[in-house]
Amino acid sequence: MAGAEGDELADGLLSGLQYLALHARDRAAASGNAFLRATVHPVTAGCPTRLVHYRHHGFPEPPGARVLTKAAPAVTVSDVDDMAAGGPELVAAADRLGSGLAQAFGRAEILQFSPEGELRRSYWSHESRPVLERWTQQSDVKITDAEA
């Protein structure tokens, strides 16, 4: 059984959304709202997956109660220019998609983001925090110690 690690999922959403938004804006001259769809892949009956994190002593802990045996997409809409800018709307879009994916695993939301477009420091690994803190200083994104 494969495990979708929470930090990797959150990081993939942030970096992937910004990369695609920059491409859409700068190369395809697109702007306005974009329909966003994400799923964890591969997920099949033969290759089930679960959501895990490794925050406590390197052992996988399942923060989600469900094991997925088929893909469960999450969808939302966000402004291309706002996501390309890398600010709070990028994080809020990642929160909406990530929460949709987390719900498929039995979680109410993805813990690394807030709906207001903030990063929640305590839900990121200690290794990830210095990079995230530098990124938030360069962007207009707040990092908070608030818990979900």
Side-chain angles (χ1 to χ4, degrees):
M1 177 182 323
E5 210 280 313
D7 281 9
E8 291 173 359
L9 178 64
D11 183 47
L13 287 168
L14 269 182
S15 60
L17 286 174
Q18 187 173 26
Y19 176 81
L20 292 171
L22 285 166
H23 176 78
R25 184 191 69 189
D26 298 344
R27 291 186 158 290
S31 67
N33 287 335
F35 178 79
L36 308 172
R37 183 173 190 246
T39 189
V40 175
H41 182 78
V43 178
T44 64
C47 182
T49 193
R50 65 183 176 150
L51 187 63
V52 298
H53 70 75
Y54 295 93
R55 278 185 222 106
H56 301 110
H57 311 293
F59 296 102
E61 296 181 32
R66 294 189 194 128
V67 174
L68 294 185
T69 57
K70 65 179 184 176
V75 297
T76 192
V77 174
S78 189
D79 184 83
V80 170
D81 294 319
D82 288 345
M83 288 188 299
E89 181 52 36
L90 171 66
V91 179
D95 175 69
R96 292 190 301 272
L97 278 180
S99 291
L101 293 173
Q103 288 166 11
F105 290 103
R107 297 266 331 155
E109 63 184 338
I110 191 167
L111 299 173
Q112 288 84 353
F113 310 123
S114 75
E116 297 79 28
E118 299 174 336
L119 297 180
R120 295 178 179 147
R121 184 187 338 262
S122 60
Y123 296 107
W124 290 87
S125 68
H126 291 286
E127 295 82 20
S128 299
R129 292 178 189 178
V131 173
L132 291 170
E133 289 167 358
R134 281 193 302 273
W135 181 72
T136 60
Q137 291 170 359
Q138 297 168 356
S139 67
D140 196 22
V141 175
K142 293 181 184 175
I143 190 164
T144 178
D145 291 318
E147 295 190 2

